[in-house]
Amino acid sequence: MPLSVPYPRFTLADALTPEQLAFFQEHGFLHFRGFVGPDTVAELLRASEQVQQRWLADDVKKVNGVPIKYGRDVDGAPIVQRFAFASHHSPVLHEFLQDPRFTALFPLLEAPGGRVGENEKDGLVINHYVNVTGSEFSQMGWHTDSLRDVFYGKKIGPMLNVGVHLDGTPATNGGLRVLAGTHRQSLRDILFRKKYYKDVGPDPDEIVIETEPGDLTVHDGRMWHRVARSPLVGEVSRRRVMYVPILAGKYEPKHDNSPTPFYLRFLHLVK
């Protein structure tokens, strides 16, 4: 599917349609318009800001072994740019993850035992991208979400990365790019198709995911994707996205004494 060809935007109900299932099986991603409305978007942003205020005040370095990434906002004030397990620190965010529509996505795993991974991987992650001096998070290079399994010598397990987009992101403002169909690639391609996080440039086959506030996206964990830096500077470059994994297989919750995963020790290199 070349970039110039529009892809369909769907609506998520209590169950996926045959068309949605077929599209995901072939391309490895789905995009749903209007998963939540403006009031919910505002509520989620307020909740994330409340967590941020507490973490800044308490100088939180890690949550369940996962480093928290800090940076600077457009006014130079410190902000959290990558939250982990955010729902563990906010009843509003925790309640949001109970939305029954998330269960409609479980069939995409093609495995029994689907669940929202609120307590696993990095839990509910909030990425706050802004392109200003002092920002530590304006883009994320090419990667798959399956690398963590490979690092630990495990078979790659079923995983979906589900994003709730809190800001609109047209193609002109950077944002998510995917290589459709790479969820069916070989292990060799998962490992070596690109240089993880170091390759940040465009791919001739990438698809730009253009979102509106409240949209939901889903991509297979084996798929190559990146987040492009906004060419804009300042407030107009701001992009905030909440991600939560949907998983199957062995339940592996994190806790206060969990070690820092090896691959996250390089998080400081992602800018």
Side-chain angles (χ1 to χ4, degrees):
M1 181 186 293
L3 175 62
S4 58
V5 176
Y7 64 87
R9 277 72 162 177
F10 299 104
T11 300
L12 184 60
D14 294 334
L16 295 171
T17 67
E19 180 187 9
Q20 292 165 357
L21 284 165
F23 186 90
F24 186 86
Q25 288 166 358
E26 181 176 357
H27 301 294
F29 76 98
L30 288 168
H31 183 172
F32 298 99
R33 285 289 193 213
F35 179 73
V36 294
D39 289 346
T40 300
V41 168
E43 183 180 33
L44 295 171
L45 287 170
R46 283 194 300 270
S48 70
E49 289 165 0
Q50 290 166 358
V51 175
Q52 173 176 273
Q53 290 171 2
R54 291 197 299 272
W55 288 4
L56 286 168
D58 296 339
D59 193 25
V60 175
K61 302 295 189 193
K62 296 181 181 180
V63 178
N64 294 345
V66 179
I68 305 306
K69 194 171 184 68
Y70 291 90
R72 296 284 173 177
D73 208 341
V74 295
D75 60 357
I79 56 172
V80 179
Q81 295 205 259
R82 187 182 191 270
F83 301 69
F85 295 99
S87 66
H88 289 198
H89 298 262
S90 167
V92 171
L93 299 176
H94 168 72
E95 183 61 29
F96 176 71
L97 295 183
Q98 314 314 307
D99 190 313
R101 289 177 294 173
F102 286 120
T103 65
L105 302 173
F106 292 176
L108 300 176
L109 292 166
E110 299 180 347
R115 60 189 179 274
V116 175
E118 184 176 11
N119 306 316
E120 301 173 83
K121 306 291 187 183
D122 298 349
L124 177 64
V125 170
I126 305 175
N127 289 333
H128 186 167
Y129 299 96
V130 62
N131 190 20
V132 294
T133 301
S135 172
E136 292 292 323
F137 211 33
S138 60
Q139 66 180 333
M140 185 174 287
W142 287 105
H143 64 286
T144 76
D145 299 318
S146 297
L147 184 64
R148 66 189 76 198
D149 288 345
V150 176
F151 258 125
Y152 290 103
K154 299 189 298 184
K155 180 180 178 181
I156 294 175
M159 176 187 169
L160 310 172
N161 211 349
V162 180
V164 179
H165 298 258
L166 304 178
D167 293 290
T169 306
T172 53
N173 197 22
L176 181 63
R177 274 79 165 126
V178 302
L179 291 183
T182 54
H183 64 306
R184 300 298 189 191
Q185 66 193 327
S186 67
L187 178 59
R188 177 181 175 82
D189 282 342
I190 288 177
L191 292 174
F192 302 116
R193 181 172 184 144
K194 293 183 180 292
K195 295 177 182 177
Y196 272 80
Y197 301 111
K198 289 187 176 181
D199 287 345
V200 297
D203 186 291
D205 294 323
E206 71 181 24
I207 295 173
V208 178
I209 308 297
E210 296 188 278
T211 60
E212 297 174 357
D215 283 4
L216 182 138
T217 58
V218 186
H219 66 260
D220 191 294
R222 298 165 293 183
M223 167 179 279
W224 281 98
H225 59 287
R226 72 180 178 111
V227 178
R229 175 183 282 128
S230 174
L232 308 176
V233 177
E235 183 63 37
V236 289
S237 71
R238 191 183 308 279
R239 307 186 309 276
R240 291 159 292 188
V241 187
M242 304 193 328
Y243 280 105
V244 66
I246 287 181
L247 310 164
K250 183 181 178 182
Y251 180 56
E252 297 180 305
K254 297 284 186 66
H255 50 77
D256 288 344
N257 297 320
S258 291
T260 298
F262 178 76
Y263 61 92
L264 283 177
R265 296 177 187 176
F266 302 98
L267 185 62
H268 67 282
L269 299 176
V270 178
K271 296 180 182 293

